[in-house]
Amino acid sequence: MSNSLRTFLAGVVLLPLVLAANGAIPGYMSPTTLQLFWLIGFSKSFANYGSLYAHNFGIPQPAAISFGLSAALPAAVLLKIGISAVNAYAAVFAMWLATAFAGAFWFARSVGAGRPASLFSALLWCTFPVVWQHNGYSAVALGIALLPFYYLTAMKVSIDRLSVWSCLGFVVATFVAVFMDGYTFMMFASGTALMFGCALIRRRRDLRTDLLYRAFIIALAFAASYAAYAFYVGISDFGAQPIDFFRGWGASLEFFFVPTSNVLAIPDLLGLSIARPEHDYFGDASTFISTFCAGIVIVALYGALTLRDKRFPLLIFGLFAIVGFYMALGPTVKFLTYRPDGASQLMPASYGWVESGNAWISQYLPGFRTMRASYRWTALGMFGCWAIFVLTLASGKLSMDARAALIVVLLVLNIPSPTPLHGYRRFRDIVNEMTTEVASWKPHFHRGETVAFLPYGNDFLVNYVASELDIRTYNVGGDKNLMSAMSNWPDEMIGFEQGKVAPEFAMKVKAFLESGKADAVVLPYINLLSSAHDWPAPNEREQELSPIAKALDAEDRYDADLMKHYAVIRLAHGLDPAGTLSVWNTVPPIDLDKPVSFVSGEIGSNYLVERSWYPPEPAGTWSRVKQASILVDMTDIPDGARLSVTFSVFAPGDTCTEVEISSGTTVMLSHNYCNVSGRISVELPRAGLAKNGQLDFRVDQLRSPASYGSPDTRTLGVLLQSLSVVK
């Protein structure tokens, strides 16, 4: 038997250990639940429409998957040929983990390690907690696992002999990386830049044309892959994130050296791990369950001190380790830093020990400023340490017994505790139960109909539900996808408050159906985010939504299917939509018997939302288009009296906005307001008001706070604050 065949068979024997550690055994385990429904929802929609965009959710525009296209596409193929959702997801994970395992093996071989050492080094890399503890973030785990593969291709174009195949492999790697996960794409780009920079310094006395070719290929591959991603998602600049987020999600120093309980079996058995309640720390649990790396760091330090004949690769991978761990700390160094009761997950600088100095990178450098989960840079640091470990194995400075003992110790430290292993089995059961439940919903929906799940939220489960039922819905799961969809939603959908059931909720449901922009409205009793984590899920909203569904069902114009976990509201059979005004014209004008305040809680938004206003908020109520209206009760304004209107306008800095208030054909105010920071009060004579009591507020232009550094992406005009009658 040849060495190659023996190596292949040994790899086949070891690969199931990688798959088991990552929960990626089709037919037996599932890596996760929530992100499975999110990603498989895209895959199913791709298969439904034969498109790279989802057409079942996030309408009216097709939805681009924000990350994980490299996994979603092969999953779509598996779904198309009849593989179940849970098995398709596990199979795609298994495919990419096998690629990662092979990539790590060939990386180790490329730096001189022997076949057995390379196989076990690959097993070690693919079973680090930093890989499998990110399964809950879907393709992020795959991106981390693929880092050795990425850097193998980078070495081929940066250092080794250049060829057409090495260039092609590098280009393929950049495209896989950018469509897999943004975090590891940035690590790939940063590491390649460090690697090529070291190569330039090494050859500073022997600069040749081939370095220009290498630089051109590297720059072209990353630029083209990023441009392709930006074109696909429709956004080229993803904006900066709050610096306190980077601090909160930075790794505390003790996380690297003291494991968390219920993650790794041997530290738990030896009593070396400690319990870490999530609420005790800034950020979330991912900052400490995936960052333990003491074993590989110690071995790397030994290698750095003893290797003498491999200074150049040692320099490169040492820089990887230093940069990775430095960035993983976030802007502020933390050590035994705890979150006070009631404090946010975001971390102010005052809670840390000392500033790390990398805040400017996270605030200003493109790409880096979107990598808000700072601790994930640990993956780059661990890769640098792992690569030094492989160099140590390849150096021949250790005896065979010493190398074997070192590999065994590090592998034993990677063994997952029973908790995550049992979790993988439970995840598969949850997914199967949920998919069976969704299949039972099919008789209550019509293929291709337009549906709104209300109130909307970050509805992860909707991705799968809509694609499996083959309906079209405005809802979507995922923060980025939700924000993108909302920018194109109709007014009837925007009029609802996220996650809230306001007093005028039923009126808005009726208006939505009467608009003809939704064939059905679903009132889900389950939480469409948390129910994707676990099933069966409680009907936590049944008490507030079921009475609304029953009341609408009692009206002649509407029918409701009252199911166990939801209600579906439609127009009664045979009726055509009558338009939104048929609903809102039943709303009486604003009563002026006493002063009216337009702050949240003072006046129902049914008086406002369908007349082009946003829902009321603490400062007042903003208009969302250039002309917005209100309807007042004219009988409350005596002859000779005046209507006092208090408002403001969004004209920050040195900007100006022209405001016009009219009623009927009469223009009652026309003024250009500049640099507005306070309230504006005007009095309108009753004689100028139209008989129906309608007031129209016009602005010449709308502005968004987002243009001035705010996270608020709305477009704003007039801020209506109060009305009163002056006699």
Side-chain angles (χ1 to χ4, degrees):
M1 187 182 297
S2 68
N3 286 337
S4 296
L5 182 56
R6 280 199 296 266
T7 302
F8 175 77
L9 293 177
V12 170
V13 171
L14 293 178
L15 181 60
L17 298 178
V18 171
L19 304 185
N22 286 274
I25 300 180
Y28 188 70
M29 291 177 170
S30 173
T32 188
T33 54
L34 179 73
Q35 286 285 344
L36 182 153
F37 289 117
W38 179 80
L39 186 140
I40 286 294
F42 277 98
S43 300
K44 181 68 173 174
S45 192
F46 295 164
N48 288 345
Y49 285 85
S51 170
L52 292 179
Y53 294 86
H55 293 261
N56 290 107
F57 47 86
I59 66 168
Q61 296 298 317
I65 187 169
S66 55
F67 74 102
L69 182 65
S70 298
L73 273 183
V77 174
L78 296 178
L79 292 171
K80 192 69 175 179
I81 63 176
I83 306 297
S84 69
V86 69
N87 287 336
Y89 190 84
V92 166
F93 254 68
M95 177 193 77
W96 281 116
L97 286 168
T99 304
F101 181 73
F105 168 80
W106 286 111
F107 179 93
R109 292 287 290 152
S110 71
V111 299
R115 293 174 185 269
S118 296
L119 279 173
F120 284 105
S121 296
L123 176 63
L124 178 67
W125 172 259
C126 292
T127 56
F128 275 131
V130 76
V131 176
W132 49 266
Q133 281 289 11
H134 278 96
N135 285 341
Y137 299 95
S138 191
V140 177
L142 296 177
I144 293 172
L146 287 165
L147 283 177
F149 164 69
Y150 296 159
Y151 290 126
L152 173 63
T153 66
M155 282 199 307
K156 297 297 183 184
V157 297
S158 299
I159 301 170
D160 297 345
R161 185 173 180 273
L162 206 59
S163 70
V164 172
W165 291 110
S166 64
C167 294
L168 181 61
F170 181 71
V171 171
V172 169
T174 59
F175 274 80
V176 168
V178 77
F179 285 103
M180 184 67 80
D181 165 58
Y183 281 91
T184 48
F185 176 74
M186 284 302 302
M187 293 177 201
F188 183 20
S190 304
T192 302
L194 284 172
M195 190 180 292
F196 187 68
C198 290
L200 283 177
I201 294 172
R202 186 189 193 190
R203 296 179 57 180
R204 64 187 181 278
R205 302 179 187 277
D206 184 31
L207 296 178
R208 295 183 179 179
T209 307
D210 77 301
L211 287 173
L212 291 177
Y213 292 145
R214 295 174 191 272
F216 175 75
I217 292 163
I218 291 169
L220 179 64
F222 279 112
S225 59
Y226 182 80
Y229 176 78
F231 176 78
Y232 170 69
V233 299
I235 302 174
S236 58
D237 183 6
F238 298 91
Q241 299 293 325
I243 197 64
D244 285 353
F245 200 115
F246 290 83
R247 288 193 181 93
W249 269 259
S252 191
L253 287 172
E254 73 272 18
F255 297 167
F256 298 134
F257 302 104
V258 182
T260 303
S261 57
N262 294 320
V263 175
L264 295 166
I266 300 306
D268 283 355
L269 185 65
L270 298 177
L272 301 177
S273 55
I274 64 171
R276 291 189 171 108
E278 184 173 10
H279 58 76
D280 283 354
Y281 299 90
F282 291 100
D284 61 25
S286 60
T287 60
F288 51 77
I289 62 175
S290 60
T291 46
F292 173 69
C293 53
I296 195 67
V297 168
I298 292 170
V299 171
L301 287 173
Y302 168 79
L305 294 173
T306 58
L307 292 178
R308 293 289 184 270
D309 54 344
K310 294 182 179 292
R311 291 182 179 178
F312 181 63
L314 182 63
L315 171 65
I316 293 174
F317 302 133
L319 285 174
F320 279 23
I322 292 169
V323 170
F325 287 122
Y326 172 64
M327 292 299 297
L329 296 175
T332 303
V333 177
K334 294 186 286 186
F335 178 67
L336 299 177
T337 301
Y338 299 98
R339 175 159 57 115
D341 289 341
S344 164
Q345 290 176 293
L346 306 184
M347 178 183 155
S350 58
Y351 287 104
W353 284 72
V354 65
E355 291 299 284
S356 66
N358 63 33
W360 66 274
I361 298 175
S362 300
Q363 283 182 299
Y364 301 113
L365 291 189
F368 293 91
R369 61 184 184 174
T370 62
M371 298 177 68
R372 57 185 187 176
S374 305
Y375 80 91
R376 289 183 182 168
W377 282 99
T378 303
L380 178 61
M382 290 184 67
F383 171 79
C385 292
W386 175 83
I388 294 173
F389 162 71
V390 173
L391 285 174
T392 305
L393 295 181
S395 68
K397 294 185 178 297
L398 297 175
S399 67
M400 184 175 295
D401 289 342
R403 280 181 286 174
L406 201 55
I407 291 171
V408 168
V409 169
L410 291 176
L411 283 173
V412 166
L413 283 176
N414 275 8
I415 298 174
S417 76
T419 300
L421 294 176
H422 292 159
Y424 297 145
R425 289 285 294 146
R426 175 61 183 148
F427 293 157
R428 176 177 170 78
D429 292 340
I430 290 170
V431 174
N432 282 333
E433 290 170 9
M434 188 68 246
T435 53
T436 300
E437 171 66 25
V438 173
S440 72
W441 297 2
K442 289 186 177 181
H444 306 283
F445 292 87
H446 310 307
R447 185 176 180 182
E449 68 177 341
T450 301
V451 178
F453 293 78
L454 299 171
Y456 72 87
N458 189 3
D459 302 319
F460 265 66
L461 190 58
V462 160
N463 291 18
Y464 177 75
V465 170
S467 299
E468 178 64 18
L469 301 179
D470 202 5
I471 58 176
R472 301 179 74 247
T473 180
Y474 299 100
N475 304 71
V476 64
D479 292 336
K480 293 178 182 177
N481 287 109
L482 178 59
M483 187 176 297
S484 175
M486 289 177 68
S487 65
N488 295 296
W489 277 354
D491 292 344
E492 290 80 5
M493 187 74 179
I494 288 289
F496 290 87
E497 295 183 70
Q498 182 171 342
K500 296 181 180 179
V501 178
E504 62 279 357
F505 183 85
M507 294 283 288
K508 293 179 182 179
V509 169
K510 291 193 288 186
F512 208 161
L513 292 170
E514 297 291 0
S515 72
K517 296 175 184 176
D519 300 309
V521 168
V522 177
L523 308 183
Y525 303 153
I526 58 175
N527 185 308
L528 294 174
L529 176 62
S530 61
S531 60
H533 274 292
D534 200 4
W535 191 263
N539 286 342
E540 57 185 62
R541 307 204 74 157
E542 184 174 11
Q543 289 189 347
E544 62 178 337
L545 292 177
S546 179
I548 295 174
K550 291 176 181 177
L552 291 172
D553 191 39
E555 296 189 29
D556 292 339
R557 284 194 61 81
Y558 309 101
D559 288 334
D561 284 341
L562 305 175
M563 309 307 297
K564 180 179 179 181
H565 298 296
Y566 61 92
V568 185
I569 317 297
R570 291 185 175 86
L571 290 176
H573 183 67
L575 295 182
D576 293 326
T580 57
L581 289 179
S582 67
V583 176
W584 295 110
N585 283 343
T586 65
V587 177
I590 297 172
D591 188 351
L592 298 174
D593 281 341
K594 60 181 181 179
V596 178
S597 174
F598 290 92
V599 301
S600 54
E602 294 294 320
I603 185 171
S605 65
N606 53 326
Y607 290 99
L608 301 163
V609 170
E610 292 305 313
R611 301 186 187 278
S612 301
W613 302 87
Y614 289 107
E617 52 192 89
T621 302
W622 284 104
S623 61
R624 53 185 169 81
V625 296
K626 288 186 176 181
Q627 178 174 318
S629 305
I630 59 173
L631 199 64
V632 299
D633 190 344
M634 289 294 292
T635 62
D636 293 331
I637 309 176
D639 290 339
R642 299 179 302 281
L643 180 64
S644 176
V645 182
T646 302
F647 65 96
S648 187
V649 62
F650 190 60
D654 58 356
T655 61
C656 297
T657 299
E658 184 176 343
V659 178
E660 179 182 290
I661 302 177
S662 61
S663 186
T665 58
T666 304
V667 176
M668 309 190 74
L669 172 76
S670 181
H671 189 81
N672 200 36
Y673 294 98
C674 300
N675 191 18
V676 177
S677 60
R679 297 185 175 190
I680 303 164
S681 293
V682 297
E683 293 185 357
L684 310 177
R686 187 194 191 285
L689 298 175
K691 291 182 179 180
N692 67 350
Q694 179 167 320
L695 279 177
D696 299 317
F697 295 79
R698 295 186 183 90
V699 294
D700 64 335
Q701 59 182 308
L702 299 168
R703 294 185 178 88
S704 173
S707 301
Y708 301 88
S710 168
D712 187 351
T713 58
R714 297 177 301 170
T715 53
L716 308 178
V718 169
L719 177 68
L720 189 56
Q721 294 173 307
S722 67
L723 296 175
S724 62
V725 175
V726 180
K727 298 180 181 179

